[in-house]
Amino acid sequence: MSPEPLLAVSGLVKSFGGLVVLDGVNFHVMPGEILGLVGPNGSGKTTCINVITGLYKPQAGSITYRGRAVGGLPSHRLVHLGINRTFQVPKPFLPLTVRQNVEVAAAYGRPDDLAVDIDALLASVGLDGHAGKPAAALNSIQQKMLDLARALATGPRLLCVDELAAGLNPAELDGVAQKLRDLARGGMGLLVVEHLMGFIDQVTDRVIVLNAGREIFEGVLAEAVRDRQVVDVFLGTDHDD
Amino acid sequence: MRSALVTVAVVVAAAALLPLAYANQLLLFNFVVFLTLAQGVNIIYGFTGYLPFGYVGFFGAGAYGFSLAVMHLHLAPLPALACAAAAAVLLGLLLTPLLRLSGAYFAIANLAASQAMLQIVSNPNLTDITKGPYGVSLSGVFSPNLSYGVAVAILAATLAVMVFLRHSRFGLALQAIREDPVTAGMAGIDVVRGRTVAWLLSALVAGSIGGVFAWYVSVFYPETVFSPEFSIFAIVFALFGGIATITGPILGVLILYGIYNAIGISAPQYFQLIYGMLIMGLVLFLPNGIVSLFKRWGFDVP
């Protein structure tokens, strides 16, 4: 008897006009697991997160979260159920202070009324000392960390991380990797989209490789790089062995 | 919070007491109307980013809601004011699909909606109901002192709503929606509901003061209460002073409507010149309104 997955995606389809971006994607995330979602540009990784977090409605297929069908629910409902995400290009509430950015998510995003220690949360993403500044005063890396704090303030069980590592220096990368591993150790399931393979290797338990809206590989990264189809997709078919 | 309440108390006390010292009550009444309308614009534009170019539609709906209740239901002025508020909120509900539009598209659609309201109300075929283009006369309920007092009460209530929005989670949520609806959704905020509540709240404000306007002047034409000037003045006053603050729209009304009354009628050419230059200067150098100047100098403005 296997434990129930936190998130199960099955046959997910999403197209924009004639362009099919997700063409029947299947995968699942277990509680406490970090699943990497990799693939070339345009393979549907971000769209996948956008559908899971309610920005787009799926056209076919199912999204099951903790045994419940959640496909097509609006974002704020999904947040209340415990699904959240970070954005590839975060758009914080610029004139509000860093603290207010997190406060509003803690006030509106939690299903429980547990008080959130905002100072501790800001400190955990390295934003202590910035709480009183407007979010507009943060640089883009700090805005990414604020976006992570905003997501964490809602107490998610499933966190989708969209290219959080891009643009970070090696020390920051290690810090973020450690942070994500800590979250997973606490029972959170994570879906991580990333182009930096070193980072993927460092944090993920398992990866799904997407190409043209379909998953072409599922397993650990070390095996993925030996998979003929994966290598073809990333490097082209005309390479010499 | 305290400085906000002090500001509100000073403005409301001044509005309530000035008629005892100054004879031109109509002028003071107009100030109260614009102070209220500018805050109504502030609710919807300052907190959610929708620019209501047809804001006068709610004002006119309130004026006619009041008039119809008095003429046909023979209600006393205060219950008729409830009808005024209800008429504006109903119009707001009817127009909620406009909130799907954004930016200039919303502004233009809202302007068109308010003009459509004018055409409906002034339709000669509806003369039996609305008096059509011939205008409304409510001399039976005319009571300048009482209606002035009620107008001040509505201003006070509107300012109280603003204090709430400035200092509550809900106001924070509305500002989050204004900044980025997608991120606001991922902060757990129900974006559609937040926008709708702000929209209806701003309709309630304009409808209530529109109802009192009908009561105070008692005789008016459809063009009077659906004049686009109300929308434009209220928006310009709010922007000039600084939106999403309480003090900003108050300062905007006192300065700009003050100039308008000082020279707008006696020397309209200079008035328009000064107005135009003030607004250009503001857009170029202080796009966040006069209050941003005080903030730049280090004062915390409520």
Side-chain angles (χ1 to χ4, degrees), chain B residues 200-246:
Chain B
L200 296 182
L201 212 53
S202 73
L204 178 69
V205 166
S208 308
I209 204 70
V212 184
F213 182 86
W215 184 14
Y216 186 87
V217 299
S218 288
V219 178
F220 61 89
Y221 295 97
E223 291 81 8
T224 321
V225 293
F226 284 104
S227 162
E229 216 164 63
F230 279 108
S231 312
I232 293 166
F233 272 23
I235 290 168
V236 169
F237 296 161
L239 282 173
F240 186 86
I243 51 164
T245 66
I246 297 163

Side-chain angles (χ1 to χ4, degrees), chain A residues 53 75-76 79-80 84-85 87 91 93 95-96 100 104-105 107-109 150, chain B residues 169-170 172-173 175-176 178-180 182-191:
Chain A
T53 56
S75 293
H76 68 275
V79 170
H80 295 157
N84 217 310
R85 67 173 294 174
F87 290 90
K91 295 208 175 59
F93 314 126
L96 305 189
Q100 284 175 324
V104 74
Y108 279 84
R150 191 262 312 139
Chain B
R169 289 169 163 187
F170 182 63
L172 217 49
Q175 294 186 72
R178 179 193 65 201
E179 289 308 308
D180 192 70
V182 171
T183 309
M186 292 315 298
I189 299 163
D190 187 338
V191 172

Side-chain angles (χ1 to χ4, degrees), chain B residues 54-293:
Chain B
Y55 193 52
V56 71
F58 297 137
F59 184 79
Y64 269 89
F66 180 86
S67 307
L68 296 184
V70 168
M71 288 190 298
H72 299 296
L73 305 175
H74 307 290
L75 292 183
L78 288 178
L81 271 183
C83 295
V89 171
L90 275 178
L91 178 65
L93 276 175
L94 198 67
L95 296 183
T96 42
L98 295 190
L99 296 175
R100 291 165 185 258
L101 304 171
S102 62
Y105 301 99
F106 171 83
I108 291 167
N110 186 215
L111 178 64
S114 72
Q115 289 307 296
M117 283 293 295
L118 168 63
Q119 298 306 326
I120 292 169
V121 166
S122 56
N123 184 345
N125 292 328
L126 293 178
T127 299
D128 288 344
I129 303 170
T130 64
K131 306 285 187 203
Y134 312 111
V136 170
S137 175
L138 307 169
S139 44
V141 296
F142 182 64
S143 170
N145 289 337
L146 182 57
S147 52
Y148 182 88
V150 173
V152 173
I154 290 171
L155 172 63
T158 305
L159 290 171
V161 168
M162 286 307 301
V163 174
F164 168 73
L165 287 181
R166 280 277 291 181
H167 295 94
S168 67
R169 289 169 163 187
F170 182 63
L172 217 49
L174 289 183
Q175 294 186 72
I177 295 173
R178 179 193 65 201
E179 289 308 308
D180 192 70
V182 171
T183 309
M186 292 315 298
I189 299 163
D190 187 338
V191 172
V192 174
R193 194 172 67 182
R195 278 173 177 165
T196 308
V197 169
W199 177 237
L200 296 182
L201 212 53
S202 73
L204 178 69
V205 166
S208 308
I209 204 70
V212 184
F213 182 86
W215 184 14
Y216 186 87
V217 299
S218 288
V219 178
F220 61 89
Y221 295 97
E223 291 81 8
T224 321
V225 293
F226 284 104
S227 162
E229 216 164 63
F230 279 108
S231 312
I232 293 166
F233 272 23
I235 290 168
V236 169
F237 296 161
L239 282 173
F240 186 86
I243 51 164
T245 66
I246 297 163
T247 330
I250 295 173
L251 282 178
V253 172
L254 294 183
I255 295 171
L256 289 186
Y257 198 56
I259 294 176
Y260 173 79
N261 283 295
I263 59 168
I265 292 131
S266 58
Q269 68 278 37
Y270 292 116
F271 157 71
Q272 287 183 346
L273 182 70
I274 292 173
Y275 241 44
M277 283 168 56
L278 266 179
I279 291 168
M280 271 170 53
L282 196 85
V283 169
L284 284 173
F285 302 112
L286 285 177
N288 295 320
I290 289 183
V291 290
S292 63
L293 196 63

Side-chain angles (χ1 to χ4, degrees), chain B residues 27-39:
Chain B
L27 180 65
L28 294 174
F29 180 80
N30 284 334
F31 265 99
V32 172
V33 166
F34 277 112
L35 282 169
T36 310
L37 285 178
Q39 295 294 358

Side-chain angles (χ1 to χ4, degrees), chain A residues 163-176:
Chain A
E163 296 203 26
L164 186 63
L168 269 58
N169 67 35
E172 290 165 336
L173 272 178
D174 282 344
V176 167

